[in-house]
Amino acid sequence: MVKGLYTAYTGMINQEHRMDVLTNNLANVNTNGYKKEGATSQSFDSILAYKIKDTSEGVHLAKRIGINNPGVKIGEGYTDFSQGPMKTTGNTFDLALTDSGFFAVEFTAKNGESSVKYTRDGNFTLTEEGNLVTQDGDAVLDEDGNPVKIDPLLEAQINTSGQIIQDGKVVATIQVTDFEDYNYLEHYGENYYQPVEGAETKEPLAKVYSGYLETSNVSAVTEMVNMITVQRAYESNQKVITTIDSTLDIAANQLGKL
């Protein structure tokens, strides 16, 4: 009977985790280039300790097979990298990718260390010095890994290959990077990704479109429906705990008096 308390408890913890993921998705429903995240659940292993052909307890003695843990445990998280809807802005330096791939930016941490991060958010701006940067001031990188710098006084056009053209000449090419397996990318900060050990790059298929932005692929309606489902599951586990608690109260305080 007491095991039922722990089973319901693990269910509540799992639903809390799912709710955290859903609320984070909803908070970023208007974030450019954001990719929604999800959470999975796993059942506990039915046997944690195997004792196969173990004669240490004697041949004719009963042996424990293992420990049975009922309930649910939090599984692995995942990111949905599907394409988000496009919106028109008319701004030359608002860029969107039509297929798989990422823009490369030079991110500077608070301690001054710089590293390359990747993002789908192409909401860039040109500084007075001619540097192409993100809204947070991180430099956008060209195909050689250097910060993009152009003449801020000349009109610029950007073609689908990511080439920046000024006065009829290609002055820089924006870097677009893709990876063989997105499982080797981890979320960093609000809207960046960074590769982990084992990540391999490949030739990107994406085309760059100027004057557009990719919006979040989060559906607010879907996430709200999922939140209602999670809330009901959480309440069901609460009722299980309340019911078992009442049963234990009767067993200890009423039947115990007989």
Side-chain angles (χ1 to χ4, degrees), residues 235-254:
E235 291 174 352
S236 297
N237 284 291
Q238 281 184 315
K239 291 179 180 178
V240 170
I241 291 179
T242 303
T243 302
I244 295 177
D245 181 65
S246 300
T247 305
L248 291 174
D249 178 64
I250 294 173
N253 297 321
Q254 297 183 26

Side-chain angles (χ1 to χ4, degrees), residues 93 126-131 149-157 165-167 171:
F93 299 105
L126 192 67
T127 65
E128 294 180 354
E129 295 78 18
N131 298 312
K149 185 176 179 63
I150 62 176
D151 190 341
L153 301 180
L154 294 179
E155 184 179 353
Q157 295 87 33
I165 302 171
Q166 289 185 311
D167 199 19
V171 294

Side-chain angles (χ1 to χ4, degrees), residues 19-64:
M19 183 64 75
D20 289 341
V21 175
L22 291 174
T23 53
N24 183 64
N25 287 339
L26 280 176
N28 288 281
V29 70
N30 294 319
T31 301
N32 295 322
Y34 179 81
K35 301 304 178 185
K36 70 176 181 179
E37 299 182 332
T40 61
S41 303
Q42 296 176 335
S43 60
F44 272 105
D45 297 331
S46 58
I47 297 176
L48 296 184
Y50 288 95
K51 304 188 73 174
I52 301 176
K53 296 182 180 180
D54 182 4
T55 59
S56 61
E57 297 181 9
V59 178
H60 301 291
L61 298 178
K63 296 181 291 184
R64 297 181 182 274

Side-chain angles (χ1 to χ4, degrees), residues 1 6 25 28-30 33 40 42 59-60 80 93 105 109 116 136 172 177 201 204 212 214 219 233-234 241 246 251:
M1 184 181 297
Y6 291 103
N25 287 339
N28 288 281
V29 70
N30 294 319
T40 61
Q42 296 176 335
V59 178
H60 301 291
D80 180 4
F93 299 105
V105 300
V116 178
D136 294 326
T177 304
T201 59
Y212 296 86
E214 180 187 2
S219 169
Y234 187 88
I241 291 179
S246 300

